[in-house]
Amino acid sequence: MQDVYKFYGFEFRWLNVLDLLIVIFLVIQLYRLLKGSLAFNIFIGLLMVYAAYFLVRSMQMPILTSILQNFINVGLIAIIIIFQPEIRKFLLVLGKKTPLSKDSFLTKLFLPDRFKSYKEEEHMINEIIIAVSHMSASMTGALIVIATTYRVKFDTASSIAIDGNVSAKLLESIFEKNSPLHDGALIIVGNKILAAKVILPVSENPNLPTRVGMRHRSAVGITEHSDNLAIVVSEERGTVSFAQDGQLTQNVSLEELKVKLYEILVDGY
Ligand SMILES: Nc1ncnc2c1ncn2[C@@H]1O[C@H](COP(=O)(O)OP(=O)(O)OP(=O)(O)O)[C@@H](O)[C@H]1O
């Protein structure tokens, strides 16, 4: 039996509070995930349908209630189809916060060898920073995607497999203007350069600044539905930007980029 408490005439149990906190946590995670994307508008639309359903039900309007009820029943399957990429990413975000995730206390306690790879990651971060600083100074356009938790799906027909260690020299020679591989994106998975000349999905986010071109739009596109970081060096301005969770942060300093790389590769978020 659960104790029942009274607060300003309302009766509640501690499980009700926990229930409410979990719902608030899930809604905040969903909001963070969808913010700025087209799916956000669909999400708001669905919330409005739910609100309308509860309203007509409480007002005891049977026909509207039954229409909205049916819509919601079918809508559940539609939601799973429409939000399939977001649901996948949502589960990934949740998985990262479990006691078994890469950076949790339990993992560090029982799987200390996970620390070994951090040296490699620190080396990789330094190499990326060196390459980005050189490419920024020489106004060499570049687009680097760092896939953290799972392999990025991309069009293999257009890309060139590399499977090489990450080094500043290799990165710079790939994006060098006369290189046959300089167009498109370079993908890093783990500590390896997986492929170059990759065509990415282009973001359709209408909130991106209009002067943002294809390189920056595709950087945003690849981070909208997956747990990646995309780094862009602008060929026009030499500026450095990064995209994460569908958000573009422009004109970052090398120091800021380094902090972001540590956040995703070493601190695990
Ligand atoms: N879908 C895509 N996936 C990967 N790379 C792409 C894609 N579309 C364009 N690019 C890259 O972006 C380059 C064109 O960049 P564009 O000038 O349109 O963008 P931008 O964001 O203004 O970048 P910059 O500031 O460097 O000019 C292409 O040469 C190609 O390398």
Side-chain angles (χ1 to χ4, degrees):
M1 263 300 274
Q2 286 278 322
D3 290 338
V4 177
Y5 298 89
K6 285 200 168 179
F7 184 75
Y8 284 105
F10 290 101
E11 287 188 351
F12 72 93
R13 295 171 307 144
W14 284 118
L15 271 183
N16 296 137
V17 178
L18 185 66
D19 191 24
L20 186 67
L21 287 178
I22 292 173
V23 170
I24 291 171
F25 171 76
L26 290 175
V27 170
I28 291 173
Q29 291 293 343
L30 255 179
Y31 173 78
R32 283 183 51 198
L33 202 68
L34 300 178
K35 197 173 54 173
S37 72
L38 278 182
F40 186 70
N41 296 341
I42 302 175
F43 177 63
I44 296 295
L46 287 171
L47 276 185
M48 286 167 73
V49 171
Y50 269 92
Y53 167 71
F54 285 115
L55 189 71
V56 294
R57 200 179 68 166
S58 67
M59 290 165 74
Q60 296 182 349
M61 298 164 79
I63 304 173
L64 266 178
T65 305
S66 120
I67 291 173
L68 287 176
Q69 169 88 69
N70 284 331
F71 184 82
I72 286 170
N73 288 347
V74 180
L76 213 67
I77 298 165
I79 286 173
I80 294 172
I81 296 168
I82 295 170
F83 288 114
Q84 189 256 340
E86 281 80 11
I87 291 172
R88 195 174 54 186
K89 200 172 159 207
F90 179 59
L91 294 175
L92 256 171
V93 172
L94 278 186
K96 274 190 153 187
K97 295 185 175 168
T98 65
L100 294 177
S101 63
K102 180 180 161 203
D103 300 288
S104 72
F105 172 74
L106 284 182
T107 309
K108 284 175 180 170
L109 191 67
F110 294 112
L111 296 169
D113 53 295
R114 290 222 186 203
F115 284 120
K116 280 184 195 159
S117 62
Y118 285 179
K119 273 216 161 354
E120 281 175 44
E121 275 139 5
E122 281 174 5
H123 174 72
M124 184 169 105
I125 291 170
N126 287 335
E127 293 295 307
I128 293 172
I129 293 291
I130 293 169
V132 168
S133 85
H134 289 168
M135 293 190 291
S136 164
S138 61
M139 311 268 266
T140 305
L143 174 49
I144 300 171
V145 177
I146 298 171
T148 48
T149 41
Y150 69 97
R151 291 196 158 231
V152 220
K153 284 193 195 130
F154 54 84
D155 180 7
T156 42
S158 65
S159 67
I160 305 289
I162 293 193
D163 198 25
N165 290 334
V166 178
S167 75
K169 284 203 165 66
L170 183 53
L171 291 174
E172 286 173 51
S173 54
I174 286 173
F175 286 114
E176 206 264 313
K177 280 165 195 148
N178 297 321
S179 155
L181 303 183
H182 82 279
D183 244 352
L186 177 141
I187 313 282
I188 294 176
V189 177
N191 296 327
K192 295 266 182 193
I193 299 176
L194 191 71
K197 221 171 180 292
V198 176
I199 294 177
L200 303 177
V202 178
S203 171
E204 290 174 16
N205 185 348
N207 300 324
L208 284 175
T210 42
R211 65 187 180 87
V212 161
M214 295 296 280
R215 203 187 310 268
H216 292 79
R217 277 186 183 276
S218 50
V220 175
I222 193 66
T223 66
E224 277 172 349
H225 305 304
S226 60
D227 207 15
N228 304 316
L229 179 78
I231 304 166
V232 188
V233 180
S234 166
E235 189 173 8
E236 235 171 85
R237 296 175 294 275
T239 51
V240 179
S241 309
F242 62 73
Q244 190 183 26
D245 292 333
Q247 304 288 319
L248 183 66
T249 311
Q250 291 183 275
N251 299 327
V252 294
S253 65
L254 292 176
E255 207 41 55
E256 285 169 311
L257 178 63
K258 198 168 188 174
V259 169
K260 179 51 72 182
L261 286 168
Y262 265 89
E263 215 177 273
I264 65 150
L265 292 170
V266 179
D267 302 338
Y269 223 39

